[in-house]
Amino acid sequence: MPYLTSTPAGTSGTEIRTGFGAPGCAHPLLAGAEWAELARPGTPLHWVVLNVADGPGIQPDPHCLEAAGRLRNAGVRVLGRLDAAHGARPLAELITDARRYLEWYRADGFFLEHCPADRATLPEIRRATGALRALHDGAHIVLGHGIHPYPGYAENADQLVTFRGPWSDYRWSQAAEWTADYPPERFCHLVHGLPRSHLDEALRIARWQGAATIWFTDRTGREGFADPWESLPGYWDEIISRIGTGVSE
C-alpha cells in the first residue's frame, strides 16, 4: 500500500470500518441542511468531495469555505473535485485547480472525477498523482473510475472507485480478482437508486467485494437535484445507525 498515506478520522491505524465517501452534495446554498448533517459529530465519514463549480471555481466561495471548515472541524477529510476528463485534461489545468482547492479551501486531498481506467492512460494518471502529492504531502487521492481499472492504478492512489452506478447493476456486480490483493480500505462503491428494502443486501455485497468506503442512496436524480449524489439518502439516519453499530460488518 505505497500510497495509503493517512488514516480516516475515527479509525485506528490497523482496522478501518465501513464508512461513507460522499461524492459531492449540491452547493451549500442549495443543500445547506445536507452539509450541516455531514458535519454532525460521530458520522462515519471517510471523506467528502467539495465541488464548487465543476471544480474550485474562479474565486473563493465563502459558502463553500464555511462548509469545508465545518467538516474539517469535525475531523472529516475534504477532497477537491478535479475533472480528469477521461485522461484528456491537460496536467497544467489539473494542477491549477488543485492549487486553488489547497489555497482557498485547505483541501486534504483530491477526487479525480472521470478518471480513465485503461492501461494506456496509466502513465498520465501516474504523472498527475505524483504532481498532486508534490503540491500537498500526505494528500488523500481517490481515483473515480467507476469501474474496475487496470490493476496498476492501485499503486498510484489511496483509493479507487471500482463501482459507480445504479442498484440494478450493483446487485449483480462482481469484484475483479486482483482486488483481493489489497485491503478493503483501498476501494469505494457509489450506488444510487437503492431501495431501503435492499439496504442490508447492498451492505453485504460491499463487504463481500471488499469495499470499506461506500455511498448508498435511494436518490435517482429526479428529486430536484441534478444528479443522485447531490442530496442525502432518504434513509440517512438508518444507514448511519447500521454502519455505526457494525451491522454491515
Side-chain angles (χ1 to χ4, degrees), residues 42-239:
T43 303
L45 274 167
H46 291 170
W47 41 260
V48 173
V49 174
L50 178 64
N51 182 19
V52 181
D54 291 328
I58 59 175
Q59 62 185 7
D61 184 310
H63 303 286
C64 291
L65 179 60
E66 180 181 3
R70 288 181 180 177
L71 289 169
R72 285 198 309 275
N73 290 339
V76 178
R77 287 194 188 105
V78 177
L79 306 183
R81 177 190 180 273
L82 302 175
D83 190 351
H86 305 288
R89 187 98 183 273
L91 178 58
E93 291 185 8
L94 286 176
I95 296 304
T96 295
D97 280 357
R99 288 185 185 277
R100 289 175 174 174
Y101 273 118
L102 292 172
E103 294 173 4
W104 297 347
Y105 305 106
R106 296 174 56 197
D108 303 296
F110 307 99
F111 184 99
L112 270 68
E113 188 76 272
H114 304 130
C115 186
D118 58 291
R119 184 174 184 174
T121 51
L122 175 57
E124 296 176 18
I125 298 302
R126 182 182 295 121
R127 285 193 293 271
T129 56
L132 292 174
R133 293 188 189 284
L135 287 179
H136 177 30
D137 184 27
H140 189 84
I141 296 179
V142 180
L143 301 183
H145 308 285
I147 60 174
H148 286 93
Y150 177 71
Y153 283 92
E155 302 304 319
N156 294 275
D158 296 275
Q159 291 183 293
L160 309 179
V161 178
T162 53
F163 184 91
R164 176 174 179 151
W167 165 244
S168 57
D169 292 340
Y170 188 62
R171 68 186 310 182
W172 307 115
S173 65
Q174 294 183 343
E177 291 185 5
W178 64 263
T179 62
D181 295 333
Y182 298 88
E185 59 263 31
R186 300 301 302 281
F187 302 105
C188 175
H189 292 170
L190 310 177
V191 183
H192 62 77
L194 171 63
R196 183 190 302 266
S197 58
H198 291 282
L199 189 53
D200 284 338
E201 182 182 355
L203 289 169
R204 286 194 295 269
I205 291 173
R207 185 185 72 243
W208 292 337
Q209 294 193 15
T213 302
I214 61 170
W215 187 260
F216 292 165
T217 180
D218 52 347
R219 308 304 186 189
T220 62
R222 296 191 294 269
E223 298 86 7
F225 290 94
D227 65 50
W229 319 117
E230 291 191 336
S231 60
L232 299 181
Y235 40 67
W236 177 243
D237 288 336
E238 181 176 344
I239 194 172

Side-chain angles (χ1 to χ4, degrees), residues 24-42:
C25 286
H27 190 280
L29 283 178
L30 300 175
E34 283 82 355
W35 284 97
E37 186 65 24
L38 289 174
R40 186 173 70 177

